């Protein structure tokens, strides 16, 4: 196996596949990157068994300057290999692997020798039927992930809640996440021609996978999604992104999203966010992490206190409030996370009771779909 390539183009693909490589694993070969050289392409693969990323560099790509002299395959240790490539002195790197899987890496006046592993010991990638493909708009997909991932659980006690649950039905893609204390939901419409044979799917993807996916697809226009049993495949012309799906039945959260309008507040999201940041200075000083919002017919106040430090109280500027007076306690960190997903837009907050979740949504709906973007936060019970 022997090839030469432009170093910067190589580094980009290396960075992509290294996102999937685990630093610690029970399968030692998965700490490496698999390189496969065919007659017209270089294929790089990284995996931690739950997430697999494959990047293809073709000889047709002028910027890669890929020249293949001999085909072959090898697995090289990811961390050392990546650092070597990034620190080479020349714009061009040449890699040659002998029959004993020993790689010689040359660039300018520098030359490294790195011991590799037989590629046949590397786990095989699954094959996913490409006849049923959903074409997703990348900007909307990334927005969906960013707006819902805040509510995915980071605890291991209920694994199914550690991902985002997707439902594809009736030309709509819904994403929902909850950790049982808060909930985020976003629904986007899909083009009719993107759904062949009226496809319907329901699946849950781990939050870690979606964080990496969101980063790696930034700047792209579309991506293809295929589902098979316990796997999801996101694919572009040069990138294949495999993710294991989470096992289990996701809880039915539809009934939670319908919040009766007992009290309603219309306010700028960033104004409330700034106030919540100030309130959390006190709430984070102890383990309780509680702030309180008090609504009356002519004022809205946000308060927080720490017995050891002190108190903070702030009158909020708002557009309107209506309904019954309300005093409700909550975790300000949850509120801050939710408010950041709205940017500088105006939002409507709907309260039902001091023990029921309250709902945040944009004042100007993102689409004609009911509850197309919703954040829910469960209040904190306090005892006087």
């Amino acid at each position: 196996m022997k090839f030469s390539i432009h170093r910067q183009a190589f580094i980009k693909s290396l960075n992509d596949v290294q996102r999937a490589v685990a630093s610690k694993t029970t399968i030692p070969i998965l700490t490496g990157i698999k390189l496969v050289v065919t007659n017209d392409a270089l294929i790089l693969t990284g995996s931690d068994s739950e997430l697999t990323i494959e990047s293809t560099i073709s000889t047709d790509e002028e910027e890669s300057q890929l020249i293949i002299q001999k085909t072959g395959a090898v697995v090289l240790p990811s961390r050392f290999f990546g650092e070597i490539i990034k620190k080479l002195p020349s714009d061009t790197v040449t890699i040659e692997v002998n029959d004993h899987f020993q790689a010689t890496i040359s660039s300018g006046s520098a030359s490294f020798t790195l011991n590799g592993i037989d590629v046949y010991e590397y786990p095989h990638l699954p094959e996913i039927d490409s006849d049923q493909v959903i074409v997703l708009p990348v900007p909307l997909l990334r927005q969906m992930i960013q707006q819902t991932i805040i509510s995915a659980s980071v605890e291991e006690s209920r694994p199914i809640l550690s991902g985002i649950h997707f439902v594809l039905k009736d030309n709509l893609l819904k994403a929902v996440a909850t950790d049982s204390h808060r909930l985020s939901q976003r629904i986007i419409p899909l083009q009719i021609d993107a759904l062949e044979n009226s496809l319907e799917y329901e699946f849950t993807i781990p939050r870690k996978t979606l964080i990496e996916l969101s980063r790696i697809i930034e700047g792209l226009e579309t991506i293809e999604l295929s589902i098979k049993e316990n796997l999801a495949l996101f694919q572009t012309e040069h990138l294949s992104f495999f993710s294991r799906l989470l096992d289990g039945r996701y809880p039915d959260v539809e009934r939670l999203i319908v919040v009766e309008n007992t009290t309603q507040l219309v306010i700028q999201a960033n104004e409330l966010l700034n106030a919540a940041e100030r309130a959390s200075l006190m709430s984070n000083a102890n383990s309780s992490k509680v702030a309180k919002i008090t609504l009356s017919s002519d004022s809205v106040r946000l308060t927080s206190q720490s017995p050891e430090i002190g108190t903070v109280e702030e009158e909020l500027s708002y557009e309107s409030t209506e309904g019954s007076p309300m005093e409700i306690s909550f975790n300000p960190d949850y509120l801050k996370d939710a408010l950041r997903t709205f940017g500088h837009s105006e939002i409507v907050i709907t309260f039902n009771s001091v023990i029921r979740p309250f709902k945040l949504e944009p004042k100007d709906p993102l689409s004609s779909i009911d509850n197309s973007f919703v954040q829910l936060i469960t209040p904190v019970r306090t005892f006087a």
Side-chain angles (χ1 to χ4, degrees):
M1 164 181 160
K2 185 177 182 180
F3 67 91
S4 62
I5 189 171
H6 190 274
R7 194 168 61 89
Q8 290 303 320
F10 194 34
I11 288 173
K12 182 184 183 306
S13 286
L14 271 177
N15 288 341
D16 286 344
V17 300
Q18 280 183 318
R19 295 179 185 276
V21 179
S23 57
K24 295 181 180 179
T25 176
T26 56
I27 308 174
I29 198 169
L30 292 183
T31 61
I33 290 178
K34 181 173 75 172
L35 289 79
V36 177
V37 177
T38 66
N39 290 324
D40 57 5
L42 166 63
I43 304 167
L44 307 176
T45 305
S47 178
D48 65 0
S49 75
E50 293 189 356
L51 167 62
T52 301
I53 301 175
E54 182 180 87
S55 178
T56 302
I57 305 171
S58 171
T59 53
D60 294 334
E61 301 170 45
E62 291 185 9
E63 65 273 16
S64 72
Q65 299 175 22
L66 176 61
I67 300 173
I68 294 171
Q69 295 173 268
K70 186 178 179 181
T71 61
V74 70
V75 177
L76 297 175
S78 172
R79 184 167 66 88
F80 292 108
F81 183 52
E83 289 301 315
I84 288 170
I85 298 300
K86 290 172 185 176
K87 290 178 169 58
L88 291 174
S90 177
D91 289 338
T92 300
V93 55
T94 299
I95 298 176
E96 183 174 6
V97 179
N98 63 24
D99 293 339
H100 301 289
F101 308 107
Q102 192 174 63
T104 301
I105 306 164
S106 305
S107 177
S109 58
S111 179
F112 289 81
T113 300
L114 199 58
N115 294 327
I117 305 173
D118 189 341
V119 74
Y120 291 106
E121 297 180 25
Y122 201 87
H124 293 288
L125 288 178
E127 293 184 5
I128 295 183
D129 184 4
S130 60
D131 291 338
Q132 296 184 324
V133 172
I134 308 145
V135 180
L136 301 175
V138 166
L140 274 179
L141 176 61
R142 294 185 73 246
Q143 189 180 67
M144 286 184 87
I145 294 170
Q146 291 161 2
Q147 290 172 336
T148 55
I149 205 163
I150 60 168
S151 294
S153 177
V154 295
E155 303 293 333
E156 298 297 329
S157 55
R158 295 186 66 187
I160 190 65
L161 298 185
S162 64
I164 296 179
H165 186 65
F166 292 90
V167 179
L168 175 63
K169 187 177 181 181
D170 299 330
N171 298 343
L172 298 176
L173 180 64
K174 176 172 72 174
V176 62
T178 182
D179 59 6
S180 75
H181 301 291
R182 50 184 168 172
L183 181 147
S184 304
Q185 175 176 282
R186 179 67 198 275
I187 305 173
I188 64 171
L190 298 177
Q191 297 296 324
I192 294 176
D193 59 4
L195 300 176
E196 297 181 4
N197 305 319
S198 299
L199 295 178
E200 292 188 9
Y201 288 113
E202 194 165 341
F203 52 92
T204 308
I205 300 180
R207 65 185 300 276
K208 173 197 169 186
T209 296
L210 291 169
I211 290 171
E212 298 300 345
L213 176 67
S214 182
R215 291 170 179 164
I216 207 170
I217 64 176
E218 184 176 5
L220 301 180
E221 293 184 5
T222 60
I223 194 166
E224 296 180 347
L225 169 63
S226 303
I227 301 293
K228 181 181 179 182
E229 297 175 359
N230 65 336
L231 285 172
L233 168 60
F234 295 89
Q235 197 165 31
T236 67
E237 183 180 358
H238 302 292
L239 187 73
S240 295
F241 192 102
F242 294 83
S243 172
R244 178 186 64 85
L245 302 181
L246 292 174
D247 295 326
R249 184 177 181 84
Y250 204 83
D252 181 12
V253 297
E254 287 293 331
R255 59 184 176 80
L256 297 175
I257 294 173
V258 180
V259 177
E260 294 180 12
N261 187 0
T262 301
T263 304
Q264 182 174 285
L265 170 66
V266 180
I267 191 170
Q268 286 285 342
N270 60 314
E271 291 286 340
L272 183 54
L273 173 59
N274 291 337
E277 293 276 8
R278 291 186 283 271
S280 66
L281 293 175
M282 289 298 173
S283 68
N284 288 341
N286 55 63
S287 59
S288 61
K289 287 194 174 183
V290 176
K292 183 184 296 183
I293 191 166
T294 304
L295 298 96
S296 64
S297 58
D298 58 359
S299 70
V300 177
R301 287 184 297 118
L302 185 63
T303 59
S304 182
Q305 65 176 340
S306 167
E308 297 82 9
I309 306 299
T311 63
V312 57
E313 179 174 332
E314 183 170 349
E315 292 279 344
L316 301 180
S317 299
Y318 59 95
E319 181 179 300
S320 65
T321 181
E322 60 182 51
S324 306
M326 180 74 67
E327 185 175 88
I328 195 163
S329 299
F330 57 90
N331 184 324
D333 290 344
Y334 293 164
L335 180 63
K336 290 187 294 182
D337 288 343
L339 290 170
R340 290 187 187 104
T341 66
F342 292 98
H344 293 272
S345 62
E346 204 165 37
I347 61 170
V348 178
I349 307 179
T350 305
F351 302 90
N352 177 256
S353 77
V354 296
I355 60 172
R356 295 284 296 166
F358 56 93
K359 179 167 72 171
L360 296 80
E361 56 192 333
K363 182 183 178 184
D364 298 321
L366 300 182
S367 72
S368 58
I369 305 166
D370 290 341
N371 295 315
S372 63
F373 180 33
V374 171
Q375 302 282 2
L376 289 185
I377 298 174
T378 301
V380 175
R381 294 194 183 193
T382 57
F383 302 92

